[in-house]
Amino acid sequence: MDDLLERLGNHLVWRIGKAEGEEVLVVRVGLASAAPEFGHLARLRNVTDEEIEQLAQAGKLRIEWVN
Protein backbone atom coordinates (compact mmCIF):
# COMPACT_ATOMS: atom_id res chain seq x y z
CA MET A 1 0.00 0.00 0.00
CA ASP A 2 2.82 2.43 0.84
CA ASP A 3 4.36 1.83 -2.59
CA LEU A 4 1.04 2.56 -4.29
CA LEU A 5 0.62 5.80 -2.34
CA GLU A 6 4.17 6.86 -3.13
CA ARG A 7 3.65 6.25 -6.86
CA LEU A 8 0.37 8.18 -6.80
CA GLY A 9 2.06 11.04 -4.92
CA ASN A 10 4.50 11.45 -7.79
CA HIS A 11 1.58 12.45 -10.01
CA LEU A 12 -0.12 14.93 -7.68
CA VAL A 13 0.17 18.69 -7.36
CA TRP A 14 -1.10 20.58 -4.34
CA ARG A 15 -1.37 24.07 -2.91
CA ILE A 16 -2.06 24.93 0.72
CA GLY A 17 -3.11 28.35 1.96
CA LYS A 18 -5.89 30.52 3.34
CA ALA A 19 -8.70 31.64 1.10
CA GLU A 20 -8.89 35.41 0.65
CA GLY A 21 -11.30 36.90 3.18
CA GLU A 22 -11.84 33.59 4.99
CA GLU A 23 -10.28 31.98 8.02
CA VAL A 24 -10.27 28.58 6.34
CA LEU A 25 -7.31 26.42 5.41
CA VAL A 26 -7.67 25.35 1.79
CA VAL A 27 -5.87 22.30 0.43
CA ARG A 28 -6.09 22.05 -3.36
CA VAL A 29 -5.06 18.72 -4.86
CA GLY A 30 -5.03 17.53 -8.45
CA LEU A 31 -3.19 15.38 -10.92
CA ALA A 32 -0.09 16.92 -12.44
CA SER A 33 -1.91 17.05 -15.79
CA ALA A 34 -4.32 19.56 -14.20
CA ALA A 35 -1.54 21.91 -13.05
CA PRO A 36 -2.58 24.71 -15.47
CA GLU A 37 -6.04 24.76 -13.84
CA PHE A 38 -4.54 25.90 -10.53
CA GLY A 39 -3.71 29.20 -12.24
CA HIS A 40 -7.40 29.86 -12.95
CA LEU A 41 -8.42 29.60 -9.31
CA ALA A 42 -8.46 32.38 -6.73
CA ARG A 43 -5.06 32.86 -5.12
CA LEU A 44 -4.38 31.42 -1.71
CA ARG A 45 -2.57 33.43 0.94
CA ASN A 46 0.54 31.98 2.54
CA VAL A 47 0.14 30.37 5.95
CA THR A 48 2.63 29.49 8.63
CA ASP A 49 2.95 25.99 10.08
CA GLU A 50 1.36 27.34 13.27
CA GLU A 51 -1.66 28.69 11.34
CA ILE A 52 -2.05 25.37 9.53
CA GLU A 53 -2.10 23.52 12.85
CA GLN A 54 -4.55 25.96 14.46
CA LEU A 55 -7.00 25.96 11.54
CA ALA A 56 -6.86 22.17 11.14
CA GLN A 57 -7.44 21.59 14.86
CA ALA A 58 -10.40 23.99 14.75
CA GLY A 59 -11.89 22.04 11.84
CA LYS A 60 -11.57 25.02 9.51
CA LEU A 61 -10.37 22.97 6.57
CA ARG A 62 -11.58 22.68 2.98
CA ILE A 63 -10.24 20.15 0.49
CA GLU A 64 -10.65 21.00 -3.20
CA TRP A 65 -10.01 18.59 -6.05
CA VAL A 66 -8.67 20.36 -9.14
CA ASN A 67 -9.17 18.76 -12.53
Side-chain angles (χ1 to χ4, degrees):
M1 181 64 146
D2 288 340
D3 186 50
L4 176 62
L5 291 174
E6 187 173 329
R7 286 185 298 176
L8 178 60
N10 290 332
H11 299 282
L12 294 176
V13 175
W14 60 90
R15 298 282 189 286
I16 300 174
K18 284 200 311 194
E20 192 67 41
E22 295 182 70
E23 285 299 311
V24 175
L25 180 65
V26 178
V27 179
R28 292 184 178 149
V29 182
L31 294 174
S33 60
E37 296 302 317
F38 281 79
H40 299 288
L41 299 171
R43 294 184 66 92
L44 297 176
R45 295 183 320 192
N46 292 338
V47 289
T48 64
D49 289 345
E50 184 178 285
E51 289 175 299
I52 290 172
E53 187 174 340
Q54 289 172 351
L55 291 168
Q57 287 179 354
K60 296 181 177 184
L61 178 66
R62 183 169 67 227
I63 309 294
E64 299 177 354
W65 179 257
V66 180
N67 59 11

